[in-house]
Amino acid sequence: MLICSMLKVENIIFSYQSDTTISKSSFTLDAGKSLAIIGESGCGKSTLLKLIYGLYDLDKGKIFWKDLEVLGPKFHLIPGMEYMKYLAQDFDLMPFITVAENIGKYLSNIYPDVKKERISKLLEIVEMQEFANVKAKYLSGGQMQRVAIARVLALEPELLLLDEPFSHIDNFRKNSLRRKLFSYLKQKKITCIVATHDSTDVLSFADDLLVMQQGAIIENGSPKFIYENPKSLYVASLFGDVNAIEIKNKTHFVYPHQLKVVPKSDIEIIVMSSYFRGSYYLIEAKYEKGILFFESRMDYPKDEVVFLDIITTL
């Protein structure tokens, strides 16, 4: 089956005032794929989503969805494209109506049984069945976020734009919700772009990845390849702790799990602190050229001398 690029972002530039917020940026996204955008706070992730949705007018460049140009407020009385749904970090729920009513707000009332079934399915996806008849004003921040996710799914958009969609949700609930949501998007062939700071969103669920820094796209590719071949300390650090180790005058970026304790090696460290992480300890150690972090099944006392080797061939 032929898969075409549904979204095309071509050489876009945008600034809120005098400073450029989005530098000259281009990328494409195929139908039914999930794209993650990661980067430090203020790098332009949220702005890029808003531009794709048509909330702002571009300074230069063009954005196309199915060869239809996405235009901003200068061309539309009501900003935003009808075939897209955008979930911002403020959830914009109606506080005095119930969860079910919020989710079904834009669904047709012509077939009430179909609407009821649709709301029930979405409540199941976001695990909010028991709150169907609770008014939104009584919900916690995480519960509101789950309702907001269900609401943007109600009309099954062609393109779903999610800005930090799990930021208010507890970890024990977040993992289950992510699995259900991204599985549903794949099943329905809904194209999705998620701006996130959480590497789990990226590595476990995204098909493609954009890395942004200071308004520019500096990496574009598969999450696995970028994770395994980071071009800079900045990129590697977006996935968690990372070590910059110099070997034969070349700097390598090594994750803590890629280091192991050995009887003797060129990497001699002195243990500074140990952090229990459940299935392992994260050890912080002093290295001749700085600080190193490595993972270990066993704990090490402060000031113990340890030798490390790199598991992955560099």
Side-chain angles (χ1 to χ4, degrees):
M1 183 178 70
L2 179 65
I3 297 178
C4 62
S5 294
M6 302 293 269
L7 179 69
K8 298 177 184 177
V9 176
E10 300 180 348
N11 299 316
I12 64 170
I13 299 174
F14 174 77
S15 55
Y16 285 107
Q17 294 179 340
S18 58
D19 295 333
T20 300
T21 306
I22 300 294
S23 303
K24 193 173 183 180
S25 298
S26 301
F27 68 91
T28 61
L29 181 61
D30 293 338
K33 296 290 187 179
S34 292
L35 168 70
I37 306 173
I38 61 171
E40 62 189 348
S41 297
C43 70
K45 301 189 298 293
S46 297
T47 300
L48 182 55
L49 289 187
K50 292 173 183 176
L51 291 169
I52 293 170
Y53 188 52
L55 292 182
Y56 300 133
D57 294 300
L58 295 168
D59 296 341
K60 291 184 180 179
K62 292 183 178 181
I63 298 173
F64 294 93
W65 175 256
K66 289 184 175 178
D67 297 322
L68 179 66
E69 187 173 0
V70 176
L71 300 173
K74 289 180 181 177
F75 302 90
H76 293 290
L77 183 62
I78 301 175
M81 313 304 288
E82 61 179 13
Y83 40 82
M84 302 180 188
K85 286 296 178 184
Y86 167 62
L87 177 60
Q89 293 188 48
D90 55 337
F91 315 131
D92 193 30
L93 300 181
M94 298 187 70
F96 299 106
I97 64 175
T98 67
V99 165
E101 289 168 337
N102 266 286
I103 294 173
K105 180 181 177 183
Y106 301 110
L107 294 175
S108 172
N109 291 313
I110 296 177
Y111 302 103
D113 290 342
V114 174
K115 179 176 180 177
K116 184 178 179 180
E117 183 179 348
R118 179 72 180 144
I119 292 171
S120 178
K121 174 62 176 176
L122 293 169
L123 284 167
E124 180 185 345
I125 290 172
V126 298
E127 301 178 353
M128 288 290 288
Q129 301 97 312
E130 66 270 33
F131 295 93
N133 298 314
V134 176
K135 290 183 178 179
K137 68 176 183 177
Y138 296 121
L139 301 177
S140 68
Q143 290 167 341
M144 287 184 182
Q145 192 163 36
R146 285 150 60 193
V147 175
I149 291 171
R151 191 177 65 175
V152 296
L153 287 173
L155 293 174
E156 283 195 10
E158 295 177 24
L159 175 61
L160 182 62
L161 305 169
L162 303 174
D163 194 354
E164 300 286 1
F166 312 111
S167 58
H168 295 266
I169 300 172
D170 295 331
N171 283 332
F172 81 94
R173 183 81 65 178
K174 185 186 300 185
N175 294 330
S176 173
L177 177 58
R178 276 191 288 224
R179 288 191 291 269
K180 288 185 177 181
L181 174 61
F182 287 106
S183 174
Y184 179 82
L185 296 178
K186 284 294 182 187
Q187 175 191 340
K188 296 293 183 177
K189 297 181 173 58
I190 296 173
T191 309
C192 177
I193 302 178
V194 53
T196 181
H197 67 278
D198 192 330
S199 61
T200 303
D201 297 339
V202 177
L203 296 175
S204 299
F205 303 104
D207 299 303
D208 300 303
L209 173 63
L210 295 182
V211 180
M212 295 190 68
Q213 186 177 27
Q214 297 179 344
I217 296 171
I218 61 170
E219 292 263 19
N220 182 356
S222 77
K224 186 174 187 293
F225 181 83
I226 292 174
Y227 174 81
E228 292 177 345
N229 303 275
K231 293 180 179 178
S232 68
L233 183 61
Y234 171 79
V235 173
S237 65
L238 294 173
F239 298 104
D241 294 310
V242 65
N243 305 296
I245 300 177
E246 188 175 310
I247 301 174
K248 296 179 180 178
N249 297 320
K250 183 179 179 181
T251 300
H252 298 271
F253 305 112
V254 181
Y255 300 108
H257 72 270
Q258 295 176 311
L259 292 169
K260 66 177 181 180
V261 176
V262 294
K264 194 73 176 176
S265 75
D266 293 332
I267 305 176
E268 180 180 339
I269 57 95
I270 301 174
V271 174
M272 296 171 59
S273 300
S274 177
Y275 306 96
F276 181 58
R277 293 288 183 87
S279 60
Y280 66 92
Y281 291 88
L282 179 68
I283 311 296
E284 181 180 9
K286 188 184 299 183
Y287 178 50
E288 63 175 346
K289 298 178 181 178
I291 302 296
L292 285 186
F293 292 90
F294 69 96
E295 293 180 8
S296 171
R297 292 279 184 168
M298 61 176 288
D299 196 4
Y300 287 91
K302 182 176 169 51
D303 295 327
E304 181 167 349
V305 175
V306 176
F307 296 92
L308 300 175
D309 195 9
I310 299 171
I311 299 173
T312 304
T313 302
L314 298 174

